[in-house]
């Protein structure tokens, strides 16, 4: 679909989304840019290219499967 003149891909297949955003993230590091002011440039979803790769490698150990399961057990 298009958003104005900008082509956009919309996908509802969970396996494709997982592959694109997790397994193949090196191929697709950039997301759609939304101008929300200067502080918005620091949001995780607004980072691009090498900055995104650096931040992702820094925070990935925080979101391991075991840690996420522990958080969900504590919250129930």
């Amino acid at each position: 679909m298009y958003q104005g003149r900008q082509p956009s891909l919309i996908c509802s297949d969970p396996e494709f989304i997982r592959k694109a955003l997790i397994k193949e993230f090196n191929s697709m590091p950039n997301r759609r840019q939304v101008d929300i002011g200067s502080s918005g440039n620091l949001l995780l979803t607004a980072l691009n290219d090498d900055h995104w790769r650096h931040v992702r490698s820094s925070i990935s150990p925080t979101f391991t499967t075991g840690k996420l399961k522990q958080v969900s057990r504590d919250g129930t």
Side-chain angles (χ1 to χ4, degrees), residues 1-52:
M1 86 179 268
Y2 282 85
Q3 294 181 338
R5 294 182 183 188
Q6 183 76 14
S8 298
L9 174 66
I10 297 176
C11 178
S12 61
D13 179 17
E15 184 57 33
F16 178 81
I17 293 169
R18 185 170 84 77
K19 185 175 181 181
L21 296 179
I22 297 172
K23 292 184 177 184
E24 301 292 333
F25 86 96
N26 283 328
S27 302
M28 301 172 61
N30 298 332
R31 309 291 182 265
R32 185 176 78 140
Q33 296 298 310
V34 178
D35 185 18
I36 56 174
S38 61
S39 61
N41 295 335
L42 301 175
L43 295 172
L44 187 59
T45 56
L47 300 177
N48 288 321
D49 301 321
D50 290 336
H51 193 197
W52 158 247

Side-chain angles (χ1 to χ4, degrees), residues 12 15-16 22 41 43 55 58-59 64-65 67 70 74:
S12 61
E15 184 57 33
F16 178 81
I22 297 172
N41 295 335
L43 295 172
V55 171
S58 298
I59 66 170
T64 62
T65 303
K67 290 180 182 178
Q70 184 179 9
D74 292 346

